[in-house]
Amino acid sequence: MSKIFKSAITSTVKRAKGVGTRIKTALLLACAVLLNPMGAFAQSLANTGYEAGTNAMEEVATQIAAYIPYVVNLCYALAGVVAIVGAISVYIAMNNEEQDVKKKIMMVVGACIFLIAAANALPLFFGITN
């Protein structure tokens, strides 16, 4: 977004090469005021109070609560995929008589435990009880 503003201001400055410094400064100030969307957005919400923000936050909270079961199931599915791929990787490492088989086993088990713990802790983090 700032690249767009910067390019608009630089193109305006290039067009105003023959103009005096006071006019150039006024032109740059006008560009900065007109191209600043935050000022317009803040003015549009000036007299609405806090209701718009609290209503939006409540809506977001209910939408997050609706997605939590899907994310929990996704974490369980990822743990299953990690377990299967890890078991195949450990099997191949054992058949090739590699040195770090214990390390691979611990990494796969740790990843699965983390994903399962995260799936169980996620609803509690958002205050959702089943």
Side-chain angles (χ1 to χ4, degrees):
M1 196 71 158
S2 66
K3 289 181 182 179
I4 295 171
F5 294 141
K6 187 181 266 185
S7 66
I9 290 173
T10 54
S11 67
T12 306
V13 169
K14 287 178 185 176
R15 288 184 186 145
K17 286 248 182 197
V19 182
T21 57
R22 285 188 178 180
I23 296 174
K24 193 184 292 187
T25 305
L27 190 59
L28 284 175
L29 183 61
C31 284
V33 169
L34 292 176
L35 294 176
N36 190 358
M38 288 306 200
F41 183 69
Q43 292 299 321
S44 68
L45 293 177
N47 296 325
T48 59
Y50 294 112
E51 290 83 21
T54 56
N55 291 340
M57 291 300 286
E58 288 175 8
E59 184 179 341
V60 168
T62 56
Q63 288 178 358
I64 287 176
Y67 283 112
I68 293 297
Y70 301 115
V71 175
V72 168
N73 289 336
L74 181 66
C75 285
Y76 286 141
L78 285 174
V81 169
V82 166
I84 291 171
V85 171
I88 293 170
S89 174
V90 167
Y91 177 75
I92 291 171
M94 288 175 76
N95 279 341
N96 291 337
E97 297 178 1
E98 292 181 10
Q99 299 269 334
D100 295 332
V101 176
K102 286 183 185 178
K103 183 178 176 182
K104 283 191 175 193
I105 292 171
M106 294 304 289
M107 287 177 63
V108 169
V109 170
C112 290
I113 289 173
F114 169 76
L115 284 169
I116 292 170
N120 288 330
L122 188 66
L124 299 174
F125 180 75
F126 288 103
I128 300 169
T129 57
N130 292 334

